[in-house]
Amino acid sequence: MLETSICNIELRNPTILAAGVMGSMASSLNRIYRGGAGAVVTKSFSLKPNPGYRNPTTVEVTGGVINAIGLSNPGVEAFREELKLVDEEVPLIASVYGASPEEFASAAASVEEYADMIELNVSCPHAMAGCGAAIGQDPELTFRVVSAVKDAVDAPVSTKLTPNVTDIVEIARSAEEAGSDALTLINSLGPGMKIDIKTARPILSNAFGGMSGPAIKPVAVRCVYDVYRSVDIPIMGVGGVRDFQDAVEFLFAGARAVQIGTAIMYDGPEVFMKICRGLEAFMMAEGFSSVDEMVGLAHD
Amino acid sequence: MDSMNVPEVLEIKRIVEESETVKTFIFSWDFRREVRPGQFVMVWDFRDEKPMSVSLIDHVRSEIGISIRRVGEFTGRVHGLSEGDLLGIRGPYGRGFELMGRNLLLVGGGIGMAPLAALADEATARGMRVDALVAARTVDELLFLDRLEAAGVNISTCTDDGSCGFKGFAHERLLELELEHDMAAVCGPEPMMFQVMRILDENAVPTQLSLERYMKCAVGICGQCCLDDTGFRVCAEGPVFWSQELSRIREFGRYRRDPAGRRVPW
């Protein structure tokens, strides 16, 4: 009943671990899958190792967290070693980032053999200059990154977009025209910040960080809704999904699956199973027999 | 009120010099936010933030203490602070020690005695008999001996160089002891814990051990402290694990990860 597919990748259910959350190691990716997720996205990897920012890198705010981990990762060589250890049956989406179309293409090509799909992080709101949202806010740069990756790999490619743009539809179309096979909407919002009022200091060492969690869900649902009407490729919705009702909203807005991240802070890795149980009960009560029937219903 | 996942800036109420390199920083604490021995807090000095275990839990005086060994830049800066200065504290995080039975064995190496000192206070207050094997490289680094003695703990010491007590490693000393305890709690350098766990397992002593890993978020999402192969998060499922759990952790005693996530052998 919960089965769905994206770009011909069969998923046992539409819940997916979002990039950047418990995604650096095969052990945690396997754990999340065994715990109930339909697929997993790795933490974003780059060609060279990156220690990320100094702590504090995460702080809770009303309705979620802001984080500036700084895309820390051990580099693509070590990443390949981890991916080899991910269980065979786990649908795996490898998230990559770089500072140029060539870096994206090279990183994607070197992990392609271990991944069912490549997700392009052109949307991190706290990456170093030239990476992340600096790309995803520019339709032309987005087009060039997606094209370069599509030339370099055979695996399907999803482009993860930032909501921090005037018109997300324009960027989404640009990614689609460049050959993106799917879209992931949205990355964290902002950047935002939190200041300690006793010392007048920004708490995050980077001062700013990306906002995630329940508070960004309305923005994410709107982005999915907007983009669904304007593109023909499948969408993975992400942003503030914490319970099955949230997942249903995303499906109705036009997503074929939902990615889940910050909810693990509140509910643990069991959140995937919890959402799937709720979703199944909802579908039975409402007379849906497949996830497909629900996708985009809010548009009718 | 902000959540526990936001640093609360607190005044350092007192500083206790435990040794040449270890100081305990004591703060007033509102115990509506419960703290267990073995749990840790994230300590923010307005430039960096590190996990530190809680070494003193005093419900009567409404205080907690954090014992910090001076090893690098961050701990050096914190050691330079005075009473009345400020530090940010968020937490507490993770799973602490559980107490059971009547006879408790503590095995602590170096600054690893910090959470065990808090556990010893609770265990003796409950009327448990507590034996402690306090280990360090030299006599100067043996920690909390006076405090343990005042609490009524039976102490044996062990130093690498023989400057106090048994000369040798903690696990070597352990082989000479009667290990008939209802439980053991262990904290120290991981290679030490690896050996100690083996001996306690052979003697069928139920054992809990406290692990240390590089931490970023401490709220269970960044994945930095996940352990191979189970994916247990040290900040959430740990830092205290039962030995049966650690027997499934392939990296225990072998490697840890640096801030980028690369493996670093012990």
Side-chain angles (χ1 to χ4, degrees):
Chain A
M1 187 178 215
L2 294 178
E3 298 81 8
T4 185
S5 72
I6 295 171
C7 304
N8 294 320
I9 301 160
E10 303 295 328
L11 306 182
R12 61 184 177 179
N13 70 61
T15 65
I16 301 174
L17 175 71
V21 182
M22 288 181 76
S24 307
M25 297 157 204
S27 55
S28 54
L29 292 165
N30 286 332
R31 175 183 177 190
I32 294 288
Y33 183 76
R34 287 174 198 155
V40 295
V41 186
T42 68
K43 186 158 172 60
S44 297
F45 282 78
S46 55
L47 292 176
K48 296 215 175 79
N50 172 13
Y53 297 127
R54 211 172 52 227
N55 280 338
T57 44
T58 312
V59 64
E60 189 170 359
V61 292
T62 306
V65 300
I66 53 174
N67 90 83
I69 305 274
L71 293 171
S72 65
N73 78 91
V76 86
E77 278 316 307
F79 182 34
R80 283 166 54 90
E81 297 309 307
E82 288 295 326
L83 294 186
K84 285 178 191 170
L85 302 172
V86 176
D87 293 340
E88 187 65 33
E89 73 269 22
V90 180
L92 183 86
I93 303 172
S95 174
V96 300
Y97 78 93
S100 66
E102 295 72 29
E103 281 188 24
F104 269 94
S106 175
S110 56
V111 298
E112 184 188 9
E113 62 181 301
Y114 305 109
D116 297 291
M117 185 187 277
I118 305 289
E119 185 175 274
L120 305 178
N121 181 358
V122 294
S123 41
C124 178
H126 55 80
M128 308 80 77
C131 296
I135 298 170
Q137 287 166 339
D138 180 336
E140 172 59 27
L141 261 180
T142 303
F143 186 93
R144 283 170 49 207
V145 166
V146 176
S147 301
V149 173
K150 282 297 292 176
D151 286 346
V153 303
D154 293 324
V157 171
S158 182
T159 310
K160 183 170 182 176
L161 300 184
T162 171
N164 309 312
V165 290
T166 311
D167 180 10
I168 195 168
V169 171
E170 182 190 14
I171 313 282
R173 282 198 177 125
S174 203
E176 184 182 34
E177 279 167 29
S180 194
D181 301 279
L183 294 169
T184 305
L185 308 174
I186 54 177
N187 207 319
S188 51
L189 195 67
M193 74 183 294
K194 180 163 181 70
I195 296 169
D196 175 67
I197 60 166
K198 198 158 179 180
T199 55
R201 298 287 188 105
I203 291 175
L204 297 179
S205 77
N206 186 54
F208 310 129
M211 168 86 191
S212 63
I216 77 165
K217 192 192 72 177
V219 177
V221 171
R222 188 271 301 170
C223 288
V224 170
Y225 185 87
D226 251 7
V227 170
Y228 178 78
R229 291 192 292 194
S230 310
V231 301
D232 294 319
I233 51 179
I235 297 168
M236 288 176 270
V238 51
V241 177
R242 194 175 166 185
D243 54 30
F244 80 88
Q245 292 94 333
D246 299 330
V248 170
E249 276 194 69
F250 273 97
L251 295 173
F252 285 174
R256 299 193 59 84
V258 291
Q259 298 185 356
I260 295 162
T262 306
I264 292 173
M265 179 181 83
Y266 305 109
D267 301 327
E270 299 74 26
V271 67
F272 296 91
M273 192 177 291
K274 189 194 87 178
I275 289 174
C276 287
R277 284 197 188 125
L279 182 59
E280 196 164 39
F282 175 83
M283 289 169 69
M284 288 200 281
E286 298 293 321
F288 293 108
S289 56
S290 79
V291 170
D292 283 359
E293 293 171 17
M294 304 170 70
V295 176
L297 266 191
H299 294 266
D300 293 340
Chain B
M1 186 183 134
D2 275 327
S3 90
M4 64 177 265
N5 300 320
V6 178
E8 186 182 1
V9 174
L10 299 175
E11 253 182 45
I12 298 169
K13 191 172 168 186
R14 286 201 315 284
I15 299 175
V16 179
E17 298 206 13
E18 309 284 1
S19 75
E20 289 263 307
T21 57
V22 176
K23 289 182 180 179
T24 298
F25 298 83
I26 294 166
F27 306 88
S28 291
W29 189 258
D30 176 353
F31 278 97
R32 278 179 295 182
R33 192 172 290 174
E34 183 58 45
V35 186
R36 291 278 318 145
Q39 287 191 302
F40 69 95
V41 293
M42 295 298 282
V43 178
W44 178 43
D45 78 337
F46 317 111
R47 291 175 66 180
D48 201 347
E49 188 191 44
K50 303 271 182 203
M52 297 287 165
S53 61
V54 176
S55 60
L56 175 74
I57 301 170
D58 187 334
H59 290 90
V60 176
R61 298 166 82 165
S62 289
E63 290 174 352
I64 63 164
I66 297 152
S67 299
I68 299 179
R69 187 160 85 96
R70 193 176 66 234
V71 286
E73 256 180 65
F74 174 83
T75 53
R77 282 199 306 269
V78 175
H79 267 244
L81 297 176
S82 311
E83 292 175 355
D85 285 344
L86 303 176
L87 280 172
I89 305 284
R90 67 180 170 102
Y93 293 116
R95 179 172 63 156
F97 290 103
E98 290 170 43
L99 284 175
M100 60 177 207
R102 301 171 57 84
N103 302 299
L104 167 67
L105 172 65
L106 304 175
V107 184
I111 192 66
M113 273 310 297
L116 300 183
L119 186 64
D121 286 342
E122 182 179 325
T124 51
R126 285 198 199 181
M128 290 174 76
R129 180 193 154 84
V130 181
D131 296 323
L133 173 53
V134 183
R137 280 178 297 198
T138 75
V139 62
D140 302 331
E141 296 173 21
L142 290 168
L143 292 175
F144 306 113
L145 296 182
D146 294 345
R147 195 175 137 193
L148 293 168
E149 202 174 309
V153 174
N154 311 299
I155 304 168
S156 49
T157 58
C158 158
T159 48
D160 295 1
D161 64 359
S163 51
C164 180
F166 178 85
K167 180 177 194 290
F169 295 121
H171 69 276
E172 295 168 339
R173 173 69 179 125
L174 215 49
L175 288 169
E176 299 184 344
L177 298 178
E178 292 275 323
L179 298 175
E180 292 173 338
H181 300 81
D182 297 323
M183 62 165 288
V186 184
C187 186
E190 199 159 307
M192 176 206 107
M193 289 201 292
F194 187 81
Q195 299 293 341
V196 166
M197 180 175 112
R198 193 172 48 81
I199 291 164
L200 291 169
D201 280 352
E202 279 166 11
N203 285 274
V205 179
T207 300
Q208 297 166 85
L209 305 96
S210 177
L211 244 63
E212 190 177 5
R213 283 294 179 275
Y214 194 90
M215 300 265 180
K216 285 180 178 165
C217 74
V219 297
I221 50 177
C222 76
Q224 184 74 29
C225 66
C226 287
L227 299 170
D228 293 338
D229 290 328
T230 62
F232 289 152
R233 299 163 295 174
V234 173
C235 74
E237 283 78 39
V240 174
F241 294 95
W242 288 95
S243 67
Q244 299 96 302
E245 293 169 318
L246 283 187
S247 66
R248 295 165 57 207
I249 302 299
R250 185 167 52 95
E251 71 176 74
F252 176 59
R254 298 190 174 88
Y255 63 87
R256 60 195 187 278
R257 307 239 182 196
D258 71 6
R262 286 173 292 200
R263 293 179 187 190
V264 183
W266 281 109

